[in-house]
Amino acid sequence: MYSCGIKYYHMIDLDDIDKQIIALLQENARISNREIAKKVGLTATPTIERVKRLERKGVIKGYMAVLEKEKVGKGMTVFVKVTLSIHQMSLLDEFIEVIQGIPEILSCYHTTGQTDFLLHVVATDIADYERLLRDKLTTLPDVQRLETTMVLRAIKEGGYIPTS
């Protein structure tokens, strides 16, 4: 069991082939096992076993489609710094639980410094963000302050995690 959404992980030992597999899957999660095997110099069976082991060990958490936000009507990106008024575990847990249920919040980071959380939010436009701010973000438990930063243009997004 963990408190306040904090999980502790142990690093998994990865050999060069594991790292190549991870890099290929980060580049294209729809790549076939046969194609992965060919690129890493293995046959299909040991490649499939390695991918399944990486999934089982939690190195690969899942697979997803990367969407063009504008084409699905969520072209506005906003970062919101959240400062809480009280830091009780029960309130932190409640805050985290509520955040999990707001689909416009793509990511939530518990941070150090002057603010407690950093939210990565998408919206259709300024009116949509204002609705989200008014109806959901300002009603979050224990919120003392919200600071919004609007993104003008994304220079780099969704990069790959280097394994070497």
Side-chain angles (χ1 to χ4, degrees), residues 14-80:
L14 303 171
D15 64 20
D16 288 341
I17 293 175
D18 290 335
K19 291 176 183 178
Q20 289 176 48
I21 291 170
I22 291 167
L24 290 167
L25 286 169
Q26 285 188 100
E27 186 178 311
N28 176 9
R30 296 185 69 178
I31 188 171
S32 71
N33 283 317
R34 182 178 303 161
E35 187 65 24
I36 294 171
K38 181 179 172 185
K39 290 185 181 227
V40 301
L42 294 176
T43 60
T45 301
T47 300
I48 292 168
E49 289 171 3
R50 280 178 178 262
V51 170
K52 288 183 179 188
R53 180 180 50 81
L54 291 167
E55 292 170 347
R56 207 173 39 253
K57 297 272 188 182
V59 174
I60 298 173
K61 290 173 37 174
Y63 301 90
M64 63 191 315
V66 178
L67 304 181
E68 187 65 49
K69 292 185 302 259
E70 291 81 3
K71 292 187 179 181
V72 295
K74 294 293 181 185
M76 181 177 210
T77 300
V78 179
F79 289 94
V80 182

Side-chain angles (χ1 to χ4, degrees), residues 61 64 77-82 95-96 99-100 102-111 117-122 137 140 157-158:
K61 290 173 37 174
M64 63 191 315
T77 300
V78 179
F79 289 94
V80 182
K81 294 178 184 178
V82 180
F95 175 87
I96 290 167
I99 288 295
Q100 302 286 356
I102 302 174
E104 294 90 349
I105 299 175
L106 301 184
S107 303
C108 173
Y109 303 97
H110 194 182
T111 60
F117 292 92
L118 178 65
L119 308 179
H120 176 192
V121 177
V122 291
L137 299 182
L140 290 169
E157 282 186 314

Side-chain angles (χ1 to χ4, degrees), residues 148-159:
T148 298
T149 301
M150 306 256 180
V151 173
L152 298 175
R153 177 172 57 121
I155 307 302
K156 181 179 179 182
E157 282 186 314

